[in-house]
Amino acid sequence: MLFTKNKKPGKRRLDLQDLQGESSQGQSPARKRPREDIQGSYTEEVILSDVKNIMRCVRQKLPNQDDKLNKFLKNSIKHLETDKREVVGVFGRTGAGKSSLINAVIGVKDLLPSGDISACTSVMIRVEANMHNPKYEAEIEFITKEEWEEELWTLFNFLGDNEDKEEDADDQDSFKKLSELYGEEWRNKSPENLMDKKYFREIPEFLQSKSKILTSDTAKELSAKCVKYTRSESKEENAKDVKRWYWPLVKCVTFRVPKNGLLQHVTLVDLPGNGDRNKSRDRMWKRVVGSCSTVWIVAEINRAASEKEPWEILEESCSLMGNGGECRQIHFICTKSDNIGGSDDQSAAGVRAQILKRNKQAKIKVMAEFSKLKEVKKHFSVEYFKVFTVSSEEFLRRKNLDRDDTEIPSLQEFLQDLNEWHSETLNYVSGAHGILSLIQGASIREGADIKTTVCKGLEEKLSLELDKVREPMGKTLMAFEKCLSEGVDKSKSSCDKVLKSVLYPTKKGGAFHRILKCVVENGGIHKPKKGKSININMKLTSCLTDSIDEEFKKTFPNEGNSGPFNGVINAFSLGTKKLMNKECENVKLQLTFLKTEEVKMKTKLNKLIRERKKTIYSSLTTTIEETMKECYDRAKEIRGEGMLKNMRETIEMHLEILEKLDSTMLESIELSLKTDGVSIPDVSVELEMVKNYYNELTECPDDDAILW
């Protein structure tokens, strides 16, 4: 294979002006941002392809032996590919302009239906890039047959309890769900009859527990094909031939846009406001909300500050996003900023001035509203809350506003930054650079004495660094135990009061017995079509979560760059850079590998801690849910001792973290400095090629690369 090592990668940064028509916190391995002005014919895609081919050839060169070093090298090359995706959750009521916003930001006008088409608020819509072929693609994921059968029984029981009584919003929602899937047949059928295969002939994938894949050459065609899976009954042109609507059976639809640079490592998710009454959809909702690194709250500019729904969404979900998740920032997006009504000055300049004035006022009002949300501010600092005033319409037609006035380019720039921080190419090339450094270093037999000296020094340094990590972790455990003990005492005294506030509301209404039945049947949770959700489990857990929120946020921050445990993981270092001198020239390649492994290890640990901290935080509610599942009328017996035990066991993850740091770095030191390299091939040519690519990507001169 021919590798051209002198050509340079092409320009990395996307031209955002091309995104107007249809589209044709782990640590990054390198600390510098990828350069924006690399000239030449090579793109990152070509670099990635070249380096993958190099590593494929290197893997074939490795001897077919089962020794420790060879097994490590083959396994490391095999697992070089990692694609960390950033998830941006998009919340907002139907009609707020979410679909138009997403279409405008990603530069695909007709992908998500907007306007007068009636949205289905229960289906989750994911939008990401299709980097494998030039087709528009939709993957439709259904709930299981068993889940739908269970939901049918629940719907029938719910409607039966309200027979001959006035319908409420929940009744209407249940009628609509059944009528759109079955027509009027359901009224004379039992749940067993409605599971007959004849109702699902068009979607055999549902019966087979498989996803349905739809493809098209254009976004508009794909959108028309998907309407029966994502929207409620509609009089629109692309829905006139639809006889059966399948959205009640759909859990999630993933749209994939061909070769869309903004979505390469980013997934936009249009989320229902507060989860779903269907357990499967609700579990997925919680999982996705907890994985969002950014949340967009969307509301029309005319009522952004005064409308209840967006703020209720934020209040009800903030703990899932914040201490229970990994959200780093919240963007409140005011849409339809060009709708200003009548104006005395109808000139373009006059209209523009009026729009910009109102935009400024809206931002002040929204920020003022955010400052009132005490619960939300426990999880998110005001500096990580930003307000945007956008006009998708003006961005496309530019009648009165300049392109930048619409603030769509600002959101595109934000998505582009997310993509660049998680460059698949940079991650792969830096990993390959480290592996090749180890191979080449192991193949050189000179310098046995210096290897022994460096090895001993690094092992001593590792021990000292582990002590630095161990101390703050121990302090954290003690702080959490103190906070939890106080929370348990508080929850004992407030348990009765909390339960009474739910079970004996001041405003009961005639149908409260039905609401209470829904609460019990759904594991302590009721999510009405309109109004606030009822969640007994969260209420009972609130005293405990309140007691640890401040300490938890300080220990496991989503915001900023310090990292968990006051930054001790990110600060961990073997000090390999200081050893890069003439005396250690014979082990320079091994030190390069160790630096790569150190960065990789910290990235993995930060990911582990991020996932584990979600488990820690949710364990409080999980314990309540498991106990309450047994019998809700015994709720007063919950006293919290079991929760403290659960929390203590989970928080002891710090032992695992220390073990991982110790064992991984010791193994890396041993592999790089204590291995006989007689059977290791020479990869000096391949190393030089990959090093050149790495330097291009990080804008580093040859001798000053981040991974030395």
Side-chain angles (χ1 to χ4, degrees), residues 70-251:
N70 269 294
K71 284 171 68 176
F72 174 83
L73 292 171
K74 289 173 182 177
N75 190 58
S76 296
I77 294 172
K78 181 181 176 182
H79 292 97
L80 267 175
E81 290 189 62
T82 56
D83 183 14
K84 166 69 170 77
R85 300 197 69 79
E86 292 284 340
V87 179
V88 178
V90 186
F91 290 90
R93 68 169 183 82
T94 302
K98 290 185 293 180
S99 296
S100 297
L101 172 69
I102 292 172
N103 288 343
V105 169
I106 67 173
V108 186
K109 184 178 179 182
D110 299 312
L111 184 66
L112 302 183
S114 57
D116 297 327
I117 296 179
S118 179
C120 167
T121 57
S122 64
V123 176
M124 187 182 299
I125 306 291
R126 299 165 64 96
V127 184
E128 55 192 40
N130 182 1
M131 304 305 290
H132 305 295
N133 62 64
K135 293 280 189 179
Y136 286 86
E137 184 177 283
E139 180 180 352
I140 300 160
E141 184 180 350
F142 299 99
I143 61 175
T144 66
K145 290 182 294 183
E146 294 75 20
E147 287 165 347
W148 178 240
E149 190 169 17
E150 182 182 345
E151 188 168 346
L152 279 175
W153 279 103
T154 303
L155 289 169
F156 270 67
N157 288 335
F158 185 77
L159 293 172
D161 283 348
N162 204 34
E163 198 171 352
D164 300 324
K165 295 178 184 177
E166 185 179 348
E167 293 180 7
D168 61 15
D170 290 325
D171 291 326
Q172 292 168 9
D173 188 49
S174 299
F175 283 133
K176 183 177 184 180
K177 185 176 287 190
L178 292 168
S179 297
E180 293 201 358
L181 180 57
Y182 296 106
E184 293 305 303
E185 285 185 52
W186 71 270
R187 295 181 183 274
N188 302 312
K189 303 282 186 182
S190 68
E192 293 100 324
N193 296 143
L194 294 176
M195 291 303 296
D196 193 293
K197 291 181 180 179
K198 69 179 182 181
Y199 296 112
F200 314 110
R201 284 176 187 148
E202 198 177 350
I203 49 169
E205 296 88 352
F206 167 69
L207 298 174
Q208 298 162 2
S209 297
K210 295 180 179 177
S211 293
K212 188 178 186 71
I213 306 293
L214 302 174
T215 60
S216 292
D217 292 324
T218 67
K220 193 170 186 178
E221 284 178 11
L222 184 66
S223 183
K225 287 181 181 181
C226 290
V227 70
K228 69 180 72 173
Y229 302 102
T230 60
R231 322 303 284 183
S232 296
E233 191 171 356
S234 171
K235 296 179 181 178
E236 291 294 310
E237 184 67 24
N238 63 359
K240 65 181 181 180
D241 296 325
V242 176
K243 295 186 173 74
R244 204 180 292 279
W245 301 84
Y246 293 111
W247 62 264
L249 305 176
V250 176
K251 182 159 48 172

Side-chain angles (χ1 to χ4, degrees), residues 342-437:
S343 172
D344 293 335
D345 186 353
Q346 289 296 311
S347 67
V351 172
R352 178 176 180 269
Q354 192 172 349
I355 291 172
L356 296 181
K357 180 181 178 182
R358 188 184 58 177
N359 288 353
K360 186 176 180 181
Q361 293 170 343
K363 289 184 178 184
I364 293 171
K365 289 179 181 178
V366 169
M367 289 299 296
E369 198 64 29
F370 176 78
S371 66
K372 300 175 186 176
L373 304 180
K374 293 181 180 178
E375 287 300 314
V376 177
K377 288 169 70 179
K378 287 180 182 178
H379 300 269
F380 298 98
S381 309
V382 68
E383 58 264 37
Y384 297 100
F385 180 83
K386 296 180 181 179
V387 186
F388 294 84
T389 50
V390 308
S391 170
S392 304
E393 185 72 19
E394 280 286 336
F395 178 72
L396 294 172
R397 63 188 177 95
R398 300 189 202 173
K399 183 178 178 182
N400 296 307
L401 296 179
D402 296 335
R403 185 171 169 276
D404 288 343
D405 292 337
T406 69
E407 298 199 8
I408 295 290
S410 298
L411 295 174
Q412 291 177 329
E413 187 83 12
F414 169 75
L415 294 184
Q416 185 171 298
D417 288 343
L418 286 184
N419 271 293
E420 291 187 347
W421 190 244
H422 290 287
S423 166
E424 182 185 9
T425 302
L426 183 56
N427 290 338
Y428 191 96
V429 172
S430 62
H433 183 245
I435 292 169
L436 291 173
S437 297

Side-chain angles (χ1 to χ4, degrees), residues 280-396:
S280 175
R281 279 195 286 254
D282 194 58
R283 281 194 299 271
M284 176 179 268
W285 182 85
K286 286 179 179 176
R287 188 169 64 250
V288 172
V289 171
S291 68
C292 291
S293 62
T294 303
V295 165
W296 290 355
I297 305 288
V298 181
E300 289 184 57
I301 193 167
N302 286 331
R303 41 189 176 181
S306 59
E307 190 175 38
K308 287 184 179 179
E309 188 167 344
W311 299 106
E312 286 177 355
I313 290 171
L314 191 51
E315 285 184 294
E316 291 182 7
S317 306
C318 65
S319 64
L320 276 175
M321 302 172 189
N323 280 344
E326 53 188 275
C327 184
R328 297 192 293 272
Q329 50 199 323
I330 297 172
H331 294 165
F332 197 103
I333 301 176
C334 306
T335 58
K336 306 179 184 180
S337 66
D338 56 305
N339 292 349
I340 57 170
S343 172
D344 293 335
D345 186 353
Q346 289 296 311
S347 67
V351 172
R352 178 176 180 269
Q354 192 172 349
I355 291 172
L356 296 181
K357 180 181 178 182
R358 188 184 58 177
N359 288 353
K360 186 176 180 181
Q361 293 170 343
K363 289 184 178 184
I364 293 171
K365 289 179 181 178
V366 169
M367 289 299 296
E369 198 64 29
F370 176 78
S371 66
K372 300 175 186 176
L373 304 180
K374 293 181 180 178
E375 287 300 314
V376 177
K377 288 169 70 179
K378 287 180 182 178
H379 300 269
F380 298 98
S381 309
V382 68
E383 58 264 37
Y384 297 100
F385 180 83
K386 296 180 181 179
V387 186
F388 294 84
T389 50
V390 308
S391 170
S392 304
E393 185 72 19
E394 280 286 336
F395 178 72
L396 294 172

Side-chain angles (χ1 to χ4, degrees), residues 25 68 244 300 327 344 532 557 590 612 639 702:
Q25 170 134 82
K68 189 174 182 179
R244 204 180 292 279
E300 289 184 57
C327 184
D344 293 335
K532 283 191 174 184
Q590 288 91 331
R612 197 64 61 83
R639 287 296 180 263
D702 226 27

